[in-house]
Amino acid sequence: MSPVESTMRFRAADGGELPLLVFEPGDGTQPRAGVVLFHGGALREGSAAGLAPHCRRLAAHGIFAVSAGYRLLGRGAVSIDDCLADVRRAVERFGRLAASRGLDAPHLASGGSSAGAHLALVAAMTAPTPGVAGVVALNPAGLDLGSLAPAMQRRLEQQIGIAAGRLVEYSLIEFVRPGHPPMQIHHGTRDEVEPIDAVRRFRDAMTRSGNACTLVEYAHAGHGFHHPGNGSHFDESSTPPRTSSSTGSPRDSEVRLPGRRTVGPSGTS
């Protein structure tokens, strides 16, 4: 079943317009769930097209999938605050689009890759009403920024356009408290941007707080492993990764999007 693809726009926080790449199940099939994804690129590069292959495969298996843009640093965004504001607006717009297709919030998820996954997690963890019932993060960044050396923290603050001392406001582990949406994180054990140990600390903090947070580890995989052409992990025929649950016991990898649809980082398992 070939998906139906279209391009829409949504209003950014500065009043401009940003793209929404929309992928829907073909043949008029009612989608079972929906997800909006945000691309990576260190907040300075990338575009919504980067996660189009993922959305296309999801739509082919009955998921209403949207890849959304956001302003980039040096290209409309002054700081990460602007990027986050756009992500919040994109999630709201996605929710309205999903509702028009018969999907309500309990059947919706957000997520993304790298910096986009970080923004999606911040938005979901800090909003009074997240607007989604789950988050799927592919090699997210920024999970434990407070553990970095002070000089590195200051350098990052300058790079993302925020005042000294504000980096902790974007450290995901600082937001952990009971009541967050369920999360699943896909991460390579050799990620050179966000060490796997930081991801494990975040997972452990989430589960200690009573949240559902599953970490799917991909042995020997580096950052961006899930993109087409970046190794066999994107290939559906490859050996499944192993999943660490809150108890640390492994089980076969799967993502349960709201609506009980099972997907992997490259599509449906």
Side-chain angles (χ1 to χ4, degrees):
M1 177 176 58
S2 298
V4 176
E5 304 180 18
S6 61
T7 300
M8 301 182 182
R9 312 288 288 184
F10 74 98
R11 190 170 297 280
D14 69 346
E17 292 190 337
L18 291 167
L20 290 173
L21 306 184
V22 179
F23 300 81
E24 308 185 56
D27 302 327
T29 302
Q30 172 66 28
R32 303 187 184 192
V35 62
V36 57
L37 300 176
F38 299 93
H39 66 86
L43 304 180
R44 293 184 178 276
E45 300 178 352
S47 70
L51 292 177
H54 304 67
C55 290
R56 188 171 292 115
R57 190 170 295 181
L58 288 165
H61 290 86
I63 304 297
F64 175 61
V66 174
S67 183
Y70 52 91
R71 284 173 293 160
L72 300 175
L73 297 177
R75 284 185 275 176
V78 176
S79 73
I80 189 174
D81 298 337
D82 296 330
C83 304
L84 178 60
D86 292 344
V87 164
R88 293 192 191 282
R89 291 204 170 209
V91 171
E92 292 174 359
R93 178 66 174 131
F94 163 70
R96 293 194 295 272
L97 287 173
S100 70
R101 287 147 174 86
L103 296 171
D104 54 11
H107 295 86
L108 304 181
S110 62
S113 171
S114 192
H118 175 243
L119 292 171
L121 285 163
V122 173
M125 296 179 75
T126 59
T129 304
V132 295
V135 184
V136 180
L138 310 178
N139 51 253
L143 280 85
D144 190 5
L145 296 170
S147 67
L148 301 176
M152 176 61 74
Q153 292 188 40
R154 288 193 294 272
R155 189 177 307 122
L156 283 175
E157 287 166 345
Q158 294 173 352
Q159 290 175 355
I160 63 177
I162 58 176
R166 285 197 59 205
L167 191 67
V168 68
E169 298 176 20
Y170 282 94
S171 181
L172 293 172
I173 203 166
E174 300 296 330
F175 306 140
V176 173
R177 57 186 59 85
H180 287 309
M183 299 174 186
Q184 189 168 95
I185 302 171
H186 293 253
H187 214 83
T189 60
R190 291 186 179 176
D191 193 303
E192 65 279 15
V193 174
E194 187 73 23
I196 190 65
D197 286 346
V199 187
R200 291 168 180 162
R201 287 197 301 273
F202 175 78
R203 184 272 317 277
D204 292 344
M206 286 286 288
T207 55
R208 283 195 302 268
S209 294
N211 297 295
C213 184
T214 303
L215 171 59
V216 184
E217 297 188 8
Y218 294 75
H220 312 299
H223 201 67
F225 68 92
H226 57 88
H227 286 291
N230 278 9
S232 62
H233 293 288
F234 188 83
D235 186 349
E236 288 184 342
S237 65
S238 62
T239 302
R242 302 295 282 176
T243 301
S244 297
S245 68
S246 58
T247 61
S249 60
R251 63 175 182 262
D252 288 341
S253 167
E254 64 180 20
V255 178
R256 292 247 175 230
L257 281 180
R260 299 180 179 273
R261 193 64 179 169
T262 305
V263 300
S266 58
T268 299
S269 58

